[in-house]
Each structure stands twice: as C-alpha cells, then as structure tokens.
C-alpha cells in the first residue's frame, strides 16, 4: 500500500548484511596452524614455569652464597683484623753508596798525572751489598745482636704480621726479607735501605747495625783486593832479591878464591906486560943483529944479548901460558872450586858469567820493584769505602701495615675468585 506522505513514491530500503558475513573468512588451514601455535606456546610456558623456574632460584642462591663466602666474609674479616688487631709498624730509612778512592786521587799523584787513572766502577760492589743485606749471614748477625724472636714477636693477637718463635732459618729469612727493603739506582749507584719494626727505636738501631756491617764488608773486600794485587808483585820481589843475592855471593866467593878484585883489569895488565916484553925482545934482537955485524959471535956483548933474549923469551912464554895454554881441551874454570888450576882466560870467563848474572839480577830486581810500586798504586785505586749521606731516620708515625691497600687487595682477590667460579659454572651449564 502506498504511503500518502511520500510524494516520491515508495522508499527502497537496502538489505541489511550480517556482520559476521561482512568480514572476510580466513582459510581453514590457517585457523588450524594458529591453533597449533597457540597450543605450543602455552605448553612451552607451562614447561618453563614448572622446570626452569626452580633452577633459576637455586642458581641465584648458589651465586649469592658464593659471593658471601668468597667476597663478603673475607673482606669483612680482613678489614676488621686490619682495623682492630694489626699492630702498627715503623720504618727507618737510609741512603748510601759505594765509592772508590781512585776518584779522589787527582793530579797530585805523580803517576796519576801521566796515567790519568779513572775511578773504577763500583756497581759490582753495590750488588754484593744487596745480596749480603738479604742473605742468611746478615740475618744471623742481626739475630745475634738484637734477638729477632723478641723484636718481631707477635703483639697482642696480631699473629699474621708477627714472627712465630723458633722458626727454621729458611722461614725466618723469608720474614726478614719482608721486613727489609733494598733499592739500587744503577745510574747514580745509590742504595736505599728501609727497615721495619714494631718499635721505631728498634728499627733505627737495626738500620745502624746493618750499615756498620756493610762498611765492615766493604773494608774487607778492599783489603782482600789490595793484598791480592800486591801478593804476586811481592813474590816476584822475593825471587829477584834471592837471585841477586846469590849472584853477589858467587862473585864475592870468586874474588876471595882468586884473590883478584877485577880479573878483566888484571888480564888487561897481563896483556900489556906481554906486549911490552915482546917490544923489548924485538929491540934486543935488533941489537943482536947490529952486534953480529960488528963483532964476533963469541964476544961478551953478543953473549949478554943472547942471554937477555933467552930470559925474555922464557918470561914471555910464561906470561902467555898464564893467559892461556894455547891448546884445545884446556881446563876452564866453570865453578869457583876450579880456579886453582885454571888460567886467566878461564877465570875471566867465569868472572864474566858471574858478573852477567849479577847485572841481570840487579835489572830484574829493579823491574820487580817498579812492578811492586805500580801494583801498589793500582791497589790503592781499588780501595772502596761506604759513603752514607742519609743516616737512619727515626719514624714518628706508623706507615705499615697499609690497611686500606690490604683490605682492597683481599676484596679484589675475592671478587676474582667469585667471578671465575661463576664463569666456570655457566661454562659447564652451557655445555651440559
């Protein structure tokens, strides 16, 4: 039926569509996959919530307990011990160096002006002192003087920084090396010594005693080096002196037996005498020739001249026989006992041999004396002494133990151990 109010005629109303029909419908397979995924996620959540959650709680508790055991408790105990139990320690410092006397020997020394001797290095002696300060010998000397068991006995309840009584020498040396510090500057040659003790006066006294022992050691080394340097030179002097003495005694014995101070001069006089007699013989022979030309052979003058010529020839022959026999194999005086039956040439040969030995002995002795003097100067240059330019100090405030540093080191060591244990746990868990 038509509506009278609607002049345009009847209104067409479009059909109303259902909302569920208006939305696009997913594919059935997609819905199935989504359902399966939702179910898998739910099951995974349930499994984690049932199995993993208890493990996480236990792991966290173990890590926290390890932190408390390895970090918190040791750090707290160390801090309390350092703050209320550890006793104060005081140190005494000193600085010294090993010096050579050669540096002070300048141009005033006559030989120093020509040789320009420089000071020898004392680095080796400084290293010897360092080893000596940290050695058992120094420990025994200090222990004998101060009784280290009483000096470093634990004060109160501080048994960590104190030294237990009746320790073996090795443990006592280890504790002593912690109480003494030695530093060496190789460039300047300065040694810095630091001694720690629970009492400042004891630390100062120990440091002074150590310096005295070091000075005694340096003096012993210098004396030993001086004696060793002169020992060989003195032995050479003794040998040269004995040789010269023997040569002089042999020469004196020769003169006593031969009764001739200088056979060389005697031989010269004998030669001159023979030459004079030969000259006179030549003159007589000339006179004989002149007389024969003027007189008969049996005249008195000619007989006199012949007699003089015969006597002179015999004299010349005797003098020449005394100088030498003129034959091979004649006995030659090789020792002083052979002088009785020897001729002048044999005596002269023995005398020249003895005189040569005497001259050689004198030269050897003079050279040995020069060597001894040079060795003495070299030995003087090797002399050492201990130059102490900072005497042992007396501390007024305790410097040790360093409480903050030790507490921090304990905390750092605990953190390191805890971190390594945690990393090891996670590494094993990831590989399991």
């Amino acid at each position: 039926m038509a509506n009278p109010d609607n002049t345009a005629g009847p209104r067409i109303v479009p059909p109303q569509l259902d909302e569920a029909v208006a939305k696009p419908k997913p594919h059935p397979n997609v819905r199935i996959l989504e359902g399966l995924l939702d179910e898998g996620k739910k099951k995974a959540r349930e499994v984690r919530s049932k199995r993993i959650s208890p493990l996480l709680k236990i792991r966290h508790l173990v890590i926290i307990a390890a932190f408390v055991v390895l970090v918190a408790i040791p750090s707290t105990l160390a801090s309390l011990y350092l703050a209320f139990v550890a006793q104060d320690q005081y140190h005494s410092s000193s600085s010294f160096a090993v010096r050579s006397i050669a540096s002070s020997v300048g141009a005033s020394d006559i030989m120093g002006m020509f040789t320009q001797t420089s000071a020898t290095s004392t680095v080796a002696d400084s290293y010897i002192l360092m080893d000596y300060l940290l050695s058992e010998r120094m420990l025994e000397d200090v222990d004998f003087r101060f009784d280290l068991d009483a000096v470093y006995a634990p004060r109160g309840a501080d048994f960590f920084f104190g030294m237990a009584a009746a320790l073996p020498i090795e443990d006592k040396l280890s504790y002593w090396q912690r109480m003494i510090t030695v530093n060496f500057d190789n460039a300047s040659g300065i040694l810095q010594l630091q001694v720690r003790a629970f009492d400042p006066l004891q630390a100062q006294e120990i440091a002074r005693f150590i310096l005295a022992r070091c000075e005694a050691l340096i003096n012993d080394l210098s004396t030993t080096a001086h004696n060793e340097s002169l020992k060989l030179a003195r032995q050479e002097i003794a040998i040269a002196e004995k040789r010269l003495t023997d040569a002089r005694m042999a020469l004196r014995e020769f003169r006593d037996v031969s009764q001739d101070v200088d056979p060389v001069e005697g031989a010269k006089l004998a030669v001159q005498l023979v030459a004079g007699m030969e000259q006179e013989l030549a003159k007589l022979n000339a006179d004989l020739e002149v007389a024969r030309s003027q007189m008969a052979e049996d005249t008195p003058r000619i007989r006199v001249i012949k007699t003089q010529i015969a006597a002179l020839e015999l004299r010349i022959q005797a003098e020449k026989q005394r100088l030498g026999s003129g034959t091979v194999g004649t006995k030659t005086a090789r020792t002083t006992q052979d002088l009785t039956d020897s001729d002048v040439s044999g005596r002269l040969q023995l005398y020249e041999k003895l005189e040569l030995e005497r001259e050689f002995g004198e030269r050897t002795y003079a050279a040995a004396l020069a060597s001894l003097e040079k060795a003495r100067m070299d030995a003087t240059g090797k002399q050492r002494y201990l130059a102490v330019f900072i005497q042992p100090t007396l501390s007024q405030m305790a410097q040790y133990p360093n409480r903050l540093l030790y507490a921090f080191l304990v905390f750092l060591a605990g953190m390191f151990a805890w971190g390594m244990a945690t990393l090891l746990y996670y590494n094993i868990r990831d590989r399991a």
Side-chain angles (χ1 to χ4, degrees):
M1 180 175 181
N3 188 2
D5 296 331
N6 187 4
T7 57
R11 186 173 59 181
I12 300 173
V13 179
Q16 298 293 328
L17 297 176
D18 190 3
E19 293 180 358
V21 177
K23 293 182 180 179
K25 296 180 179 181
H27 196 274
N29 294 333
V30 174
R31 289 198 299 271
I32 293 172
L33 291 174
E34 290 178 353
L36 292 175
L37 291 174
D38 293 337
E39 290 179 359
K41 291 179 180 179
K42 291 179 180 180
K43 290 180 179 180
R45 293 193 189 98
E46 291 176 359
V47 171
R48 290 195 202 89
S49 61
K50 291 180 180 180
R51 296 182 180 180
I52 301 177
S53 296
L55 292 177
L56 287 174
K57 293 179 181 179
I58 295 175
R59 181 182 63 195
H60 291 163
L61 290 176
V62 170
I63 292 175
I64 293 172
F67 179 82
V68 172
V69 172
L70 297 176
V71 180
I73 294 178
S75 300
T76 303
L77 293 178
S79 300
L80 292 175
Y81 185 90
L82 291 169
F84 300 104
V85 180
Q87 299 297 315
D88 294 336
Q89 296 179 6
Y90 302 86
H91 78 268
S92 179
S93 300
S94 177
S95 296
F96 54 93
V98 181
R99 290 291 179 259
S100 174
I101 297 179
S103 60
S104 62
V105 180
S108 59
D109 190 349
I110 298 176
M111 296 300 295
M113 292 188 293
F114 299 99
T115 58
Q116 298 295 326
T117 305
S118 60
T120 56
S121 177
T122 57
V123 176
D125 295 326
S126 299
Y127 281 114
I128 290 175
L129 280 184
M130 289 183 63
D131 293 339
Y132 174 65
L133 290 172
L134 302 175
S135 65
E136 291 185 4
R137 179 182 172 186
M138 174 59 75
L139 174 63
E140 292 173 353
D141 295 339
V142 176
D143 193 13
F144 180 79
R145 173 65 176 80
F146 295 97
D147 188 10
L148 295 182
D149 290 337
V151 172
Y152 294 108
R155 264 63 171 176
D158 185 14
F159 294 96
F160 182 79
F161 292 101
M163 184 179 69
L167 286 177
I169 189 64
E170 290 79 10
D171 295 338
K172 188 177 290 187
L173 179 63
S174 178
Y175 182 85
W176 168 254
Q177 291 176 352
R178 295 198 303 269
M179 292 294 104
I180 183 174
T181 304
V182 184
N183 296 320
F184 175 59
D185 187 2
N186 197 7
S188 60
I190 296 175
L191 283 162
Q192 294 179 346
L193 172 66
Q194 187 180 93
V195 180
R196 284 187 285 170
F198 294 106
D199 184 77
L201 290 176
Q202 287 183 339
Q204 187 182 37
E205 291 177 359
I206 293 174
R208 288 177 177 174
F209 178 78
I210 289 175
L211 289 181
R213 297 303 304 164
C214 290
E215 186 175 3
L217 176 63
I218 291 299
N219 292 335
D220 292 341
L221 292 176
S222 297
T223 303
T224 302
H226 184 272
N227 294 335
E228 289 297 327
S229 298
L230 298 180
K231 182 178 180 180
L232 182 59
R234 287 171 178 170
Q235 291 177 354
E236 294 295 330
I237 283 288
I239 295 173
E241 185 175 3
K242 184 178 183 302
R243 186 171 187 175
L244 178 60
T245 302
D246 294 341
R248 288 177 174 176
M249 291 301 296
L251 191 59
R252 179 180 177 181
E253 185 180 359
F254 171 84
R255 288 169 176 168
D256 290 340
V257 174
S258 64
Q259 296 181 352
D260 191 358
V261 177
D262 192 353
V264 176
E265 296 296 330
K268 290 180 180 180
L269 293 176
V271 171
Q272 292 177 1
L273 179 60
V274 171
M277 288 188 297
E278 287 180 349
Q279 184 178 4
E280 186 177 355
L281 178 61
K283 182 180 179 181
L284 290 175
N285 287 326
D287 293 342
L288 181 61
E289 292 297 330
V290 173
R292 282 178 177 176
S293 64
Q294 297 177 357
M295 302 176 187
E297 188 67 27
D298 56 350
T299 57
R301 180 173 177 77
I302 292 178
R303 287 198 302 268
V304 171
I305 294 176
K306 286 182 178 182
T307 302
Q308 291 178 350
I309 291 174
L312 194 56
E313 286 178 350
L314 291 176
R315 182 61 181 170
I316 291 174
Q317 186 66 26
E319 291 295 332
K320 286 184 177 181
Q321 190 69 26
R322 192 170 67 88
L323 290 174
S325 62
T327 59
V328 180
T330 306
K331 183 179 179 181
T332 302
R334 300 183 181 274
T335 61
T336 307
Q337 289 75 15
D338 300 334
L339 291 176
T340 304
D341 300 331
S342 64
D343 51 21
V344 175
S345 60
R347 296 182 181 184
L348 186 60
Q349 181 181 0
L350 179 59
Y351 175 79
E352 290 177 347
K353 177 183 176 182
L354 297 176
E355 183 67 20
L356 181 61
E357 290 181 357
R358 184 190 64 80
E359 292 179 358
F360 185 76
E362 289 180 351
R363 293 179 181 179
T364 305
Y365 185 70
L369 287 177
S371 299
L372 178 62
E373 184 65 19
K374 185 177 183 301
R376 186 190 64 79
M377 296 182 63
D378 293 340
T380 303
K382 294 180 181 178
Q383 293 294 316
R384 303 286 190 271
Y385 65 95
L386 195 69
V388 182
F389 49 90
I390 296 181
Q391 295 294 333
T393 59
L394 179 62
S395 181
Q396 298 181 355
M397 184 177 65
Q399 297 85 8
Y400 299 95
N402 195 332
R403 294 174 170 81
L404 293 178
L405 178 61
Y406 288 167
F408 176 74
L409 290 177
V410 173
F411 173 76
L412 191 63
M415 287 294 295
F416 178 77
W418 176 72
M420 292 298 296
T422 304
L423 291 176
L424 181 63
Y425 169 76
Y426 275 109
N427 189 14
I428 295 174
R429 178 177 176 275
D430 293 339
R431 295 178 180 273

